C-alpha cells in the first residue's frame, strides 16, 4: 500500500473549508481511510485530516486508546469552559511548534465508515488532538492560534 503525500503550509487546500461527506459508504472514502492511517503512522503523527492529503472532505484519522480510527463528519457538540495551553505541532507545518489554548474537554459526534453515528467524550491531550484535527476541516492551522511559535527546522538541519 502506498502512502500519500502530506501537503505542507502554505498549500491553499489547507486553508479551505472542507465539505461534509454525504455518502458515508462511498467507496472512495473506504479506500482513503487505510491509506490515511498508513500515511499518519509512517509520518509519526497522532492525527491526520483529509485536507492534509489533498481532499477537502470532513474526514479525520485519530490514534485513540482503542487504536487508529476514522471520524467522519465530526462535530464538537459540547465543550468545557475551562481551556488550557499546550504544545502542538502539525505534519503540514514541519519543524514548527507552538502553544495553543484549547478546551480541556470536548464531546464529539461523528459517523464511522459503516454509517453508524457515535458520540465521544474526550479530555486532555485527546480533546486537544480532536480540536486540532477538526480545525483542519475548517481551514484553520494551529499556527493561526499559537503563541511562542518556534521553528526548529533550521536548527534540525544543522545537526
Ligand atoms: Co495538523
Amino acid at each position: 500500500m502506498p502512502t500519500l503525500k502530506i501537503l505542507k503550509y502554505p498549500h491553499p487546500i489547507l486553508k479551505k473549508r472542507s465539505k461534509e461527506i454525504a455518502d458515508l459508504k462511498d467507496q472512495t472514502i473506504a479506500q482513503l481511510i487505510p491509506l490515511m492511517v498508513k500515511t499518519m503512522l509512517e509520518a509519526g503523527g497522532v492525527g491526520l485530516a483529509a485536507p492534509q492529503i489533498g481532499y477537502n472532505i470532513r474526514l479525520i484519522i485519530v490514534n485513540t486508546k482503542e487504536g487508529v480510527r476514522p471520524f467522519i463528519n465530526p462535530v464538537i457538540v459540547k465543550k468545557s469552559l475551562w481551556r488550557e495551553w499546550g504544545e502542538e505541532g502539525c505534519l503540514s507545518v514541519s519543524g514548527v511548534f507552538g502553544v495553543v489554548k484549547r478546551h480541556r474537554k470536548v464531546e464529539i459526534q461523528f459517523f464511522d465508515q459503516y454509517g453508524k453515528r457515535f458520540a465521544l467524550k474526550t479530555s486532555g491531550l485527546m480533546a486537544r488532538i480532536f480540536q486540532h484535527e477538526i480545525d483542519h476541516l475548517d481551514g484553520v492551522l494551529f499556527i493561526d492560534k499559537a503563541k511562542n511559535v518556534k521553528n526548529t527546522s533550521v536548527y534540525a538541519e544543522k545537526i
Side-chain angles (χ1 to χ4, degrees):
M1 206 196 302
T3 54
L4 304 163
K5 185 170 172 264
I6 297 175
L7 302 183
K8 303 288 181 181
Y9 172 81
H11 198 291
I13 285 183
L14 296 170
K15 297 302 293 173
K16 277 177 69 182
R17 188 176 187 280
S18 290
K19 287 198 171 72
E20 289 228 338
I21 295 171
D23 180 5
L24 298 165
K25 294 172 189 175
D26 185 326
Q27 267 310 105
T28 314
I29 308 297
Q31 286 164 6
L32 208 52
I33 290 168
L35 284 170
M36 282 180 70
V37 170
K38 188 166 187 253
T39 303
M40 185 196 77
L41 292 174
E42 287 195 6
V46 288
L48 187 69
Q52 293 182 275
I53 44 97
Y55 291 81
N56 276 125
I57 54 171
R58 300 188 83 82
L59 164 65
I60 62 172
I61 302 292
V62 175
N63 197 351
T64 71
K65 277 177 283 178
E66 286 77 36
V68 184
R69 296 274 189 273
F71 298 84
I72 300 172
N73 297 339
V75 178
I76 296 172
V77 291
K78 266 189 208 168
K79 47 200 176 189
S80 62
L81 285 176
W82 178 17
R83 296 195 297 159
E84 60 189 7
W85 294 95
E87 191 171 60
E88 296 184 20
C90 180
L91 294 176
S92 292
V93 198
S94 308
V96 176
F97 299 91
V99 290
V100 183
K101 203 174 196 181
R102 301 284 190 190
H103 298 282
R104 164 82 190 153
K105 293 180 180 177
V106 290
E107 185 176 331
I108 289 148
Q109 280 185 11
F110 63 96
F111 293 87
D112 71 2
Q113 66 271 51
Y114 310 108
K116 198 170 172 218
R117 190 179 197 163
F118 292 90
L120 177 71
K121 282 181 184 166
T122 179
S123 65
L125 180 61
M126 233 353 101
R128 176 172 298 278
I129 295 167
F130 277 102
Q131 289 169 83
H132 175 117
E133 299 309 329
I134 292 171
D135 267 356
H136 271 299
L137 304 182
D138 294 322
V140 175
L141 298 174
F142 85 99
I143 46 173
D144 300 331
K145 298 181 163 182
K147 67 173 191 182
N148 301 343
V149 176
K150 295 177 291 232
N151 190 337
T152 63
S153 56
V154 175
Y155 179 66
E157 277 162 20
K158 284 183 182 165
I159 296 171

